[in-house]
Amino acid sequence: MAAERPCPLPYDLTGREVDVLTRVAAGDSNPQIAAALVLSVRTVTTHLEHIFAKLGCDSRTRLTTKALAEGLCRLDL
């Protein structure tokens, strides 16, 4: 019998950062992400600043490419 146990997320991402990253990879704009996750646009921007720094990316395109290549997106959108 397999047991489920929590494990740290890659790149020290938080769960909310993964939510935002998933929406970015789906092509959503910051206002769309904010509406979908019930956040302010400023909060989404702050999360993205942290995500860019943690993943070492300098554009949404590179961020999306890396997220998809490394399976960092949530599948349950």
Side-chain angles (χ1 to χ4, degrees), residues 2 44 49 56 59 63 67:
V44 170
E49 289 168 359
S59 73
L63 195 65

Side-chain angles (χ1 to χ4, degrees):
M1 175 178 217
E4 209 175 292
R5 61 186 166 131
C7 61
L9 294 170
Y11 299 98
D12 202 28
L13 292 168
T14 66
R16 188 50 111 185
E17 289 169 346
V18 172
D19 293 339
V20 171
L21 179 57
T22 299
R23 294 281 175 174
V24 168
D28 289 355
S29 66
N30 288 10
Q32 290 171 318
I33 296 167
L37 300 179
V38 192
L39 301 170
S40 72
V41 174
R42 179 66 194 134
T43 299
V44 170
T45 301
T46 299
H47 282 311
L48 276 170
E49 289 168 359
H50 296 159
I51 295 165
F52 280 121
K54 289 178 179 183
L55 273 68
C57 294
D58 60 3
S59 73
R60 289 172 91 100
T61 301
R62 288 189 179 160
L63 195 65
T64 297
T65 301
K66 186 169 192 156
L68 294 174
E70 297 186 22
L72 301 176
C73 298
R74 292 198 190 277
L75 300 176
D76 57 350
L77 265 183

